[in-house]
Amino acid sequence: MSNRRDFIKTLGLSSAGLMMGLSASSKPTVIPLNGAGPSALALEINPFIVIEPNGKIILINPRPDMGQGSTQAVPSLLAEELEVRLDQVTIWQSDGKGKYGDQTSGGSSSVRALWKPIRQAGAAAREMLVKAAAQRWSVPESECYAKEAKVFHKPSGKSLTYGEVADEASKFEVPKNPALKEAKDFKIVGKYAPRLDVPARVTGKAVFGIDVDVPGMVYAVMIHNPHIFGKVVSIDDTEALKIKGVQKVLKCERPMPHRTAEAVAIIADNYWAALSAKKVVKVHWDNGTIPHTLTTDAYYKKCAEAAIKEGLKGEESGDFAAAFAGAAKKVEALYETPFLAHAPMEPENAIAHVKEDGTVEVWAPIQGPDWALRDLAGYLKIKPEQIKINVALLGGAFGRKAYHDFLLEACFLSKEVKKPVKLVWTREDDITQGPYRPGMMARMQGGVDEKGNIVAYHHHPIGESIQFQVFKAPNDKPDDWICGELSQKEQKYAIPAFKVSFTHVDTEIPIVWWRSVYASNFGFSQEGFLDELIHSAGKDPLKARLEMMTDERFKKVLETLGEKAKWGEKLPAGHGKGIAVFKSFGSISACCITVAKHGAGVKVEKVVSVIDCGHYVNPDNVKAQTEGNIVMGITAAVKKGVTFTHGQADHTNFHQYHVMRFNEMPAVEIHIVESGAEPGGVGEPGLPPIAPALANAVFAATGKRIRKLPFDLNTLA
């Protein structure tokens, strides 16, 4: 770490202050997002702190906030060790520069990654401030302590604010190993606390990306080809140019990781004019063979054909083939999950200004400013130092806004018109153009011996790979994200012959991660199929899982679930319960869903979720995230997924692409297991067990086994 005094000077702070955690050379781009400010932080970098002379404490936040609550979580970690009240912390957002390290919000990683570094930053700052005060008073440091942004001298009772000693403290080297609090001494972390960012969001004061304006900007809307990759043959903009405010209609491009699509853009003085023009511009497209090739039916047919062949082996313990061949009972099944749109409430949008001096400035709600910087520099063929990124608050994302096609479109247009361009996608753009959660299949095989023990298990995922399509990884090896997540080491089922393999089936349909990534696909196949094997063995689903578990944390989660869900109680006729457990992003989550026959279908009556996420910051946020996962998990199980027919998406907006409504929400209970383990994620792990628990509950109530999502709750009984 650098000398703090030098660091402050390079940052250009006009008055004395203490900044920690970086070897920086230039002032960070800062966007105070409307008072309370947003955001959360990151991974594997040294976070840093500014203490202004007035005692104001500022945290430079490298993790954009998309609603996951990191705005609350990270300041809590800082405040805990710094000995300040939570309301004394202000968050500023980083700008993607490399000095801030990994800045992408994703993988439920913010608290996991920052649990120790941000606390170290807070503790180190506290020690430096105490040392500065002790020297000012010429007293031993051991006679001083910190509390609520002040340093106190115990014998005399005198005190100095952090702001009063920040200048002196900034001259010290940062302690390399500051003493961290033990969990038993936490005053903030692990306690219920109101989220400071909520009032601005619920009163409409929060500034989201779509709210940002800059001087001199023009508006742009896109005409994307419904077939995504068709070519522009001609553009008739006669009627569009008659609309007041419309400046220009031009051919442009939509760069995606796996290929670039052609598109048309309307530039106008205001959004309404641009949107109105979109309706009257006539574009003649050449779609070639796309209507015959870009279909989900064709994709799933290829997956089904691949399912009967051997995949690339990702893992095998024991001899699966021999164990399966010798099993008293053999079970085989094919599971299927659909493509899904992210559908954040705030569609994709960005402002880009490609300037004539070769520099670029953007304002956008993006999940990863560092990735955006990389993508912009590569696309525009300029140095990262020429780019300034202003990250705005995200109105939802679920993985979508780490895919920068819309940002590159805005840059393309700004470069063409030589003005700042505010590009706003419509809901239809968002749902029909992707990228999507990949639709996947899984061939499942398992064997049970004469005593009812599961002795053979094979999980064979089949489908398009994010590693291959987005990151262009060689496809002669299995996708290790998938295989790693489904491994015996991760999921802890002690089955003697355990095998995971993978087959890649490509598609041009754009894909990317969706909330909980592959766990949302394969939690369904793992836990649904294990339920099949357990029923084949004639065992109780909860007891059988506990018998196979070797890990005490998994066992505790399942035992807690059994207790809270009253698993052993007899249900009324026509009711059924199903359970599932899955580990993802460092956390173990299980749920029990109760359904009841209702007319020709079933009704979801109750969801009990249990999560062991290790140490956490705010239990209220853990529960809020898990509630969101329940809503999204049930939606993904029973509402229509994205399908492509004749080369285009069959759904365009929420009237066709449904999400769960208030009147469909079941009763919910969420329980946290206090394991005291290293922090795991909370934004996503609650989702993977939902679909299999629901499908298993349907089987318990109706005897109908669900192996394909989505399914219709109204036509099951």
Side-chain angles (χ1 to χ4, degrees):
M1 289 184 183
S2 67
N3 178 284
R4 298 307 130 198
R5 164 63 70 181
D6 293 340
F7 184 51
I8 291 167
K9 288 178 178 176
T10 60
L11 285 168
L13 297 180
S14 58
S15 56
L18 172 63
M19 179 167 282
M20 300 186 54
L22 292 175
S23 54
S25 59
S26 62
K27 186 175 181 179
T29 299
V30 170
I31 303 179
L33 287 177
N34 206 25
S39 275
L41 288 234
L43 262 51
E44 304 182 26
I45 67 166
N46 294 317
F48 63 99
I49 302 162
V50 178
I51 300 177
E52 295 181 344
N54 61 4
K56 182 179 180 181
I57 299 163
I58 300 167
L59 174 66
I60 305 298
N61 170 33
R63 290 295 181 102
D65 191 291
M66 48 189 165
Q68 76 273 39
S70 47
T71 300
Q72 178 73 27
V74 176
S76 296
L77 296 174
L78 175 66
E80 182 68 67
E81 297 290 350
L82 195 56
E83 294 291 358
V84 297
R85 297 190 312 274
L86 197 56
D87 59 8
Q88 292 176 288
V89 178
T90 298
I91 306 295
W92 287 358
Q93 180 62 52
S94 69
D95 61 359
K97 296 289 172 55
K99 61 192 177 186
Y100 299 114
D102 189 339
Q103 297 161 66
T104 298
S105 288
S108 297
S109 61
S110 292
V111 170
R112 281 199 290 160
L114 293 171
W115 177 257
K116 190 172 181 181
I118 196 70
R119 289 175 58 214
Q120 286 178 323
R126 184 194 66 234
E127 290 185 0
M128 295 161 74
L129 291 159
V130 168
K131 182 178 180 180
Q135 287 191 4
R136 173 92 65 93
W137 292 324
S138 298
V139 299
E141 291 176 43
S142 58
E143 293 183 355
C144 303
Y145 66 96
K147 180 181 179 183
E148 296 188 350
K150 289 183 178 179
V151 180
F152 292 85
H153 180 230
K154 252 182 285 188
S156 65
K158 57 189 176 184
S159 67
L160 290 167
T161 67
Y162 283 179
E164 289 174 313
V165 293
D167 184 40
E168 292 152 80
S170 69
K171 299 171 185 174
F172 302 137
E173 290 295 324
V174 178
K176 292 182 179 177
N177 298 298
L180 298 179
K181 287 183 175 180
E182 294 185 25
K184 65 181 177 56
D185 298 322
F186 287 159
K187 300 172 185 172
I188 299 171
V189 173
K191 317 294 183 188
Y192 279 94
R195 277 180 55 172
L196 302 178
D197 58 323
V198 167
R201 300 190 193 207
V202 300
T203 57
K205 295 179 180 177
V207 179
F208 292 88
I210 204 167
D211 300 321
V212 175
D213 293 336
V214 302
M217 71 179 194
V218 294
Y219 289 80
V221 298
M222 302 295 298
I223 302 176
H224 293 113
N225 187 332
H227 295 82
I228 301 181
F229 298 111
K231 304 293 184 183
V232 176
V233 176
S234 64
I235 304 169
D236 181 353
D237 58 8
T238 306
E239 295 302 314
L241 294 176
K242 294 177 182 177
I243 297 173
K244 184 180 179 181
V246 173
Q247 297 184 8
K248 189 174 185 179
V249 179
L250 69 159
K251 179 183 173 184
C252 59
E253 63 184 25
R254 177 194 175 200
M256 290 177 276
H258 68 306
R259 63 183 293 187
T260 295
E262 295 185 0
V264 174
I266 296 110
I267 307 293
D269 297 342
N270 58 75
Y271 180 68
W272 181 248
L275 190 63
S276 300
K278 178 176 181 175
K279 298 174 182 176
V280 296
V281 172
K282 298 175 182 175
V283 183
H284 178 204
W285 303 95
D286 177 3
N287 293 319
T289 61
I290 294 173
H292 306 291
T293 58
L294 196 72
T295 73
T296 40
D297 281 349
Y299 169 73
Y300 283 114
K301 183 181 178 185
K302 287 198 296 182
C303 289
E305 291 169 353
I308 60 176
K309 302 175 183 176
E310 192 71 19
L312 295 171
K313 187 165 69 178
E315 172 191 0
E316 184 170 8
S317 58
D319 186 337
F320 171 77
F324 185 65
K329 293 181 181 177
K330 300 179 181 64
V331 182
E332 296 189 67
L334 193 62
Y335 279 70
E336 181 180 320
T337 49
F339 290 83
L340 294 175
H342 302 76
M345 289 308 297
E346 176 200 42
E348 294 68 40
N349 66 90
I351 300 173
H353 190 190
V354 180
K355 303 173 185 176
E356 293 189 6
D357 64 2
T359 64
V360 176
E361 186 166 8
V362 301
W363 299 258
I366 48 176
Q367 288 179 235
D370 52 335
W371 286 11
L373 190 71
R374 175 203 63 195
D375 290 350
L376 289 172
Y379 178 65
L380 296 170
K381 296 181 171 49
I382 60 177
K383 297 177 181 177
E385 294 78 19
Q386 295 173 266
I387 302 169
K388 182 178 180 181
I389 294 180
N390 305 285
V391 182
L393 185 60
L394 289 75
F398 312 114
R400 173 61 179 89
K401 291 173 184 171
Y403 193 93
H404 299 129
D405 50 349
F406 61 99
L407 188 58
L408 301 184
E409 285 179 337
C411 287
F412 177 96
L413 295 172
S414 177
K415 190 175 181 180
E416 289 291 314
V417 303
K418 304 185 187 312
K419 295 176 182 175
V421 172
K422 181 173 184 175
L423 171 68
V424 181
W425 277 32
T426 63
R427 178 67 58 201
E428 287 79 6
D429 289 323
D430 176 60
I431 291 181
T432 65
Q433 296 294 309
Y436 307 102
R437 181 191 78 169
M440 303 294 285
M441 279 188 174
R443 184 190 184 199
M444 308 299 298
Q445 296 172 289
V448 178
D449 68 12
E450 296 83 356
K451 298 179 181 177
N453 300 310
I454 298 174
V455 294
Y457 172 87
H458 179 201
H459 199 160
H460 179 189
I462 303 142
E464 183 56 285
S465 160
I466 297 168
Q467 281 188 346
F468 301 155
Q469 190 188 93
V470 178
F471 294 100
K472 304 183 184 346
N475 65 358
D476 58 347
K477 297 179 180 178
D479 184 319
D480 55 14
W481 291 357
I482 295 175
C483 294
E485 187 158 56
L486 301 178
S487 68
Q488 197 166 29
K489 178 183 177 183
E490 192 72 4
Q491 300 302 330
K492 306 295 186 185
Y493 282 116
I495 299 173
F498 190 100
K499 181 179 178 181
V500 178
S501 54
F502 174 74
T503 297
H504 176 222
V505 174
D506 65 354
T507 177
E508 290 296 311
I509 297 172
I511 64 163
V512 78
W513 38 70
W514 184 89
R515 194 173 189 172
S516 78
V517 198
Y518 294 124
S520 67
N521 300 93
F522 301 117
F524 173 59
S525 44
Q526 173 184 296
E527 290 299 300
F529 185 67
L530 279 170
D531 208 66
E532 292 196 53
L533 288 174
I534 290 167
H535 278 279
S536 172
K539 292 188 173 182
D540 175 83
L542 177 60
K543 290 180 181 177
R545 282 177 169 83
L546 285 168
E547 288 172 3
M548 287 189 286
M549 281 297 174
T550 58
D551 183 89
E552 293 303 317
R553 288 182 65 191
F554 270 87
K555 286 184 177 179
K556 181 65 176 176
V557 168
L558 283 169
E559 288 166 351
T560 303
L561 182 71
E563 174 193 343
K564 300 298 183 183
K566 298 181 174 60
W567 177 257
E569 288 188 359
K570 187 176 180 180
L571 291 171
H575 286 64
K577 284 182 178 176
I579 61 169
V581 60
F582 199 85
K583 182 182 179 185
S584 58
F585 309 103
S587 295
I588 304 164
S589 180
C591 82
C592 175
I593 295 183
T594 304
V595 301
K597 289 184 179 180
H598 184 74
V602 299
K603 180 181 180 182
V604 183
E605 292 199 332
K606 187 172 185 179
V607 179
V608 179
S609 283
V610 176
I611 184 169
D612 176 357
C613 57
H615 278 301
Y616 52 83
V617 174
N618 185 341
D620 193 45
N621 199 47
V622 175
K623 292 187 176 182
Q625 288 297 297
T626 306
E627 287 167 354
N629 278 311
I630 291 170
V631 173
M632 212 157 173
I634 294 177
T635 296
V638 304
K639 304 296 184 183
K640 292 178 181 177
V642 170
T643 55
F644 273 70
T645 305
H646 304 306
Q648 54 187 319
D650 296 315
H651 313 92
T652 61
N653 207 321
F654 286 133
H655 69 294
Q656 299 161 316
Y657 190 75
H658 298 159
V659 296
M660 194 172 172
R661 296 184 175 226
F662 281 121
N663 64 356
E664 298 173 293
M665 187 68 185
V668 165
E669 280 184 25
I670 295 162
H671 303 277
I672 303 171
V673 172
E674 306 285 349
S675 68
E678 287 297 307
V682 300
E684 298 167 274
L687 192 148
I690 300 299
L694 178 55
N696 295 341
V698 168
F699 176 77
T702 69
K704 294 187 177 180
R705 182 61 70 181
I706 305 295
R707 300 190 182 100
K708 180 179 179 180
L709 301 181
F711 61 96
D712 187 351
L713 284 172
N714 299 311
T715 57
L716 286 168

